[in-house]
Amino acid sequence: MKLKDKVAVVTGGNRGIGKAIALKLAQEGASVAICGTNEATLKETAAEIEKLGVKAFQQKVDVSKVADVEAFAKAVIETFGKANILVNNAGITRDNLLLRMSEQEWDDVLNINLKSTFLTTKYFVKSMMKARQGRIINITSIIGVRGNAGQANYAASKAGIIGLTKTTAREFASRNITCNAIAPGFIQTDMTHALGDQAKEALLKEIPLGFLGETSDIANTVAFFAADESRYITGQVICVDGGMVI
């Protein structure tokens, strides 16, 4: 219960990696607010959080829209009185080769992945500044570190998150607010389950440890950054990737 009496906010916390993060933080004692675009899975995840003995709050939010994010932040603060931990996890892909990529595909990914991280940080950090303590954890990707053919928009958005993380860390360090990023490698999710056997074999050859990560690997790293043990770490990017980026 390292996070007892803390309030955590997880964007995209209703499924996949985000859901694993939300449940892990709840297991550590934090009350958890989640947002996403699917009301059914938001309600389901909120119910799972409350079964762990903590309070949950859920709201349908388009994290690329200022009005939605501002309203979400206001609702969370009204409900819990504070926000100690912010996990920027919401993200999408719209893969295409650069020459074929449409402006819409570019804008959608940059808005959901990068702009949302800016907006949520802007509106939730105020509560942390008031308390003179906070933890911001941004979920980037190894694609933002090394790039990937067919993912110019995704790579740019995730690389942008790394730059934003470092700047946020510098701007708010004097208020005892840390900001770090986690760069997942290939994690077992619905996307990787859909890969064929050949594709999985080729992928495993790129991973020195020889296996795909699990959502719990990311959630456990988030929990570390959210707790007091990480108090002297800020502005860092940790690759949780089985050694793909060394």
Side-chain angles (χ1 to χ4, degrees):
M1 303 292 282
K2 293 178 180 178
L3 302 178
K4 193 174 184 294
D5 299 326
K6 301 292 186 182
V7 175
V9 179
V10 184
T11 67
N14 54 320
R15 58 189 296 273
I17 291 173
K19 180 177 179 178
I21 292 168
L23 292 174
K24 177 64 179 178
L25 297 179
Q27 287 169 359
E28 293 291 345
S31 296
V32 184
I34 58 173
C35 70
T37 56
N38 186 309
E39 289 184 324
T41 54
L42 280 168
K43 289 177 181 177
E44 288 170 9
T45 302
E48 288 185 50
I49 290 168
E50 291 187 335
K51 283 180 183 177
L52 295 169
V54 297
K55 293 180 181 178
F57 177 83
Q58 52 85 20
Q59 187 165 312
K60 184 178 179 181
V61 176
D62 181 340
V63 288
S64 69
K65 292 183 178 177
V66 176
D68 275 27
V69 174
E70 187 174 14
F72 177 53
K74 184 179 179 182
V76 170
I77 300 303
E78 286 178 352
T79 301
F80 296 110
K82 60 182 180 179
N84 309 102
I85 301 155
L86 171 63
V87 184
N88 285 305
N89 166 76
I92 62 169
T93 57
R94 294 288 184 270
D95 296 349
N96 213 338
L97 293 173
L98 194 147
L99 286 175
R100 297 175 184 171
M101 187 172 289
S102 69
E103 183 179 4
Q104 192 66 55
E105 288 170 331
W106 175 271
D107 287 347
D108 286 349
V109 172
L110 268 290
N111 285 337
I112 295 294
N113 297 5
L114 180 56
K115 182 182 176 183
S116 71
T117 304
F118 156 68
L119 291 176
T120 52
T121 299
K122 178 177 179 178
Y123 287 104
F124 280 103
V125 78
K126 295 174 184 178
S127 175
M128 298 178 190
M129 290 176 70
K130 187 176 180 181
R132 299 193 70 84
Q133 193 276 335
R135 300 282 185 267
I136 300 171
I137 302 137
N138 297 328
I139 306 301
T140 179
S141 169
I142 60 166
I143 304 305
V145 177
R146 73 175 209 168
N148 197 38
Q151 291 191 300
N153 48 5
Y154 187 74
S157 71
K158 293 299 187 177
I161 287 173
I162 291 172
L164 180 57
T165 296
K166 292 178 180 292
T167 297
T168 302
R170 286 184 178 276
E171 287 196 12
F172 298 105
S174 64
R175 299 298 183 97
N176 196 30
I177 298 167
T178 65
C179 183
N180 293 287
I182 297 168
F186 286 90
I187 306 298
Q188 294 189 57
T189 60
D190 292 341
M191 183 180 73
T192 52
H193 286 319
L195 293 173
D197 289 339
Q198 271 191 317
K200 281 185 181 178
E201 273 186 48
L203 192 56
L204 290 173
K205 287 178 182 176
E206 289 191 63
I207 303 172
L209 283 180
F211 60 91
L212 298 180
E214 297 182 359
T215 55
S216 60
D217 294 314
I218 308 305
N220 290 336
T221 311
V222 169
F224 167 72
F225 277 127
D228 288 342
E229 286 89 343
S230 67
R231 70 186 187 93
Y232 202 55
I233 305 171
T234 195
Q236 301 305 305
V237 182
I238 303 299
C239 293
V240 183
D241 63 353
M244 284 188 77
V245 178
I246 294 177

